[in-house]
Amino acid sequence: MSLIERAADKLSKNEISNSIPGKIPQTVKTGLDPLFLSDNMSDQKIGKEVSVNNSPVVDLANRASANKKTIKKIEIDLESLHRKGIVTLDHSRSEIAEQFRLIKRPLIANAFNPDSGIKNGNLIMVTSSLSGEGKSFCSINLAMSIAMEMDHRVLLVDADVARPSIPASLGFSPEEPGLLDLLRDPQWKIPDVMMKTNVKKLTLIPAGRRHTHATELLASQSMHSILAELAQRYHDRVVIFDSPPLLLTSEARVLAGQMGQIVLVVEAERTTQQTVKEALQQIEACDVINLIYNKARAHSGGGYYGYGYY
């Protein structure tokens, strides 16, 4: 009998015979988690283990490896974004790039300063009172600007589940699985709905497939758990939620109570003071509310994005 045959015979007698058919052998239960096998062993090594040991643990590892979802990557047309007025790495000295540098700085300070006292400060919701005020434009610009940071990453979540506009802006299908799918099916995990981009430090989570009970899903315990995981597991990352308008839907009000910071976009010369007051009343549960005065004209031919705290 060869050395390999003797080893196989010994393994078969000492380990597999003590296991219950269809169950994980006791000797393996106390060792390496089988779910890590696909990450720590080559396919060739796993194949050899199957032929010698015939352990159900190895079969489980193979199934986990086969079913593991890979993070999708999309290519954003950065030149097209630049023409639309979006901040890009290749045009980082533009006027709008400088404006969003001013906007992001206090947000980042609040997110990562342990003395700020802000719970979940890295969760930032961008919203507006009404539609058309530029909240998605500001969400994307803010995300692109933060992606230029040396020490932080950014996750942009399309939480405008009724009328998502980020897919059209960044060039991916609105039918991609996303936030609502994550909330509806407990088998989905956050990495399953993430989308990498050609912007190194920018990752996306789409809105997902529409659901008639979107508001209830956003208010569920599942959403609370997801937000807690985003705030703690991805602690080096700013998470930006592009939410629906406050006065047109109920989803934004549900999200507001769970955010660390809120940015309210106000369109110059259109949004009335009374409208802004009504919107602020909807989000008063959040301690840190910031205003962007959007589409104002500081001088002829130039755009200006004012910023302040409420």
Side-chain angles (χ1 to χ4, degrees), residues 131-142:
S131 61
E133 296 191 71
K135 64 168 184 65
S136 295
F137 177 81
C138 290
S139 295
I140 296 172
N141 266 309
L142 186 57

Side-chain angles (χ1 to χ4, degrees), residues 99 163 249 278 288:
Q99 292 293 342
R163 297 182 62 185
T249 67
E278 291 177 10
V288 183

Side-chain angles (χ1 to χ4, degrees), residues 200-227:
K200 184 178 179 181
K201 294 187 177 182
L202 172 65
T203 308
L204 308 174
I205 291 182
R209 286 161 284 197
R210 295 185 180 183
H211 195 276
T212 53
H213 299 295
T215 302
E216 288 75 16
L217 287 171
L218 293 175
S220 66
Q221 182 59 41
S222 294
M223 184 64 181
H224 183 78
S225 300
I226 288 169
L227 292 175

Side-chain angles (χ1 to χ4, degrees), residues 18-290:
N18 293 329
S19 64
I20 300 174
K23 300 293 184 179
I24 298 176
Q26 186 66 33
T27 53
V28 180
K29 279 186 178 180
T30 58
L32 182 65
D33 189 333
L35 293 182
F36 287 106
L37 288 175
S38 60
D39 293 329
N40 295 319
M41 294 183 180
S42 66
D43 293 338
Q44 183 179 6
K45 185 173 181 181
I46 291 177
K48 289 182 179 177
E49 293 289 348
V50 170
S51 63
V52 174
N53 198 357
N54 197 27
S55 168
V57 171
V58 180
D59 292 337
L60 175 63
N62 286 334
R63 289 197 299 272
S65 179
N67 295 331
K68 186 177 180 180
K69 299 179 178 67
T70 57
I71 297 179
K72 184 173 182 179
K73 183 174 181 179
I74 63 167
E75 290 289 324
I76 300 174
D77 188 340
L78 299 177
E79 281 302 317
S80 176
L81 281 189
H82 172 64
R83 290 192 294 270
K84 295 175 183 177
I86 303 293
V87 175
T88 62
L89 184 61
D90 292 336
H91 302 88
S92 60
R93 304 312 304 177
S94 63
E95 181 180 6
I96 192 169
E98 291 300 329
Q99 292 293 342
F100 274 93
R101 282 190 176 96
L102 295 175
I103 291 171
K104 73 178 176 180
R105 195 54 56 204
L107 295 171
I108 292 175
N110 287 335
F112 299 108
N113 181 3
D115 298 325
S116 66
I118 301 173
K119 183 181 179 181
N120 298 339
N122 62 329
L123 304 184
I124 303 173
M125 184 177 88
V126 180
T127 186
S128 60
S129 304
L130 305 169
S131 61
E133 296 191 71
K135 64 168 184 65
S136 295
F137 177 81
C138 290
S139 295
I140 296 172
N141 266 309
L142 186 57
M144 293 292 288
S145 184
I146 294 175
M148 297 179 185
E149 291 289 307
M150 298 294 105
D151 302 320
H152 305 297
R153 304 176 64 85
V154 60
L155 172 63
L156 177 59
V157 181
D158 192 347
D160 194 347
V161 292
R163 297 182 62 185
S165 59
I166 289 179
S169 299
L170 299 186
F172 62 90
S173 170
E175 298 302 317
E176 291 287 347
L179 181 61
L180 289 180
D181 302 277
L182 192 61
L183 292 170
R184 280 162 36 182
D185 189 345
Q187 293 186 353
W188 285 84
K189 304 302 178 185
I190 291 176
D192 297 334
V193 296
M194 282 183 168
M195 298 172 65
K196 290 185 177 180
T197 73
N198 52 317
V199 179
K200 184 178 179 181
K201 294 187 177 182
L202 172 65
T203 308
L204 308 174
I205 291 182
R209 286 161 284 197
R210 295 185 180 183
H211 195 276
T212 53
H213 299 295
T215 302
E216 288 75 16
L217 287 171
L218 293 175
S220 66
Q221 182 59 41
S222 294
M223 184 64 181
H224 183 78
S225 300
I226 288 169
L227 292 175
E229 183 175 353
L230 288 173
Q232 298 165 17
R233 178 179 175 181
Y234 301 94
H235 54 84
D236 65 331
R237 193 174 308 200
V238 177
V239 186
I240 298 174
F241 294 83
D242 179 42
S243 88
L246 285 162
L247 301 183
L248 299 182
T249 67
S250 56
E251 287 92 347
R253 279 167 270 173
V254 169
L255 280 173
Q258 306 180 72
M259 294 291 118
Q261 304 184 73
I262 293 178
V263 175
L264 178 64
V265 179
V266 179
E267 183 176 353
E269 301 179 11
R270 177 193 170 201
T271 310
T272 66
Q273 187 178 35
Q274 182 59 36
T275 299
V276 174
K277 287 182 178 179
E278 291 177 10
L280 289 171
Q281 290 173 356
Q282 304 293 333
I283 55 177
E284 58 185 2
C286 182
D287 293 331
V288 183
I289 301 173
N290 316 275

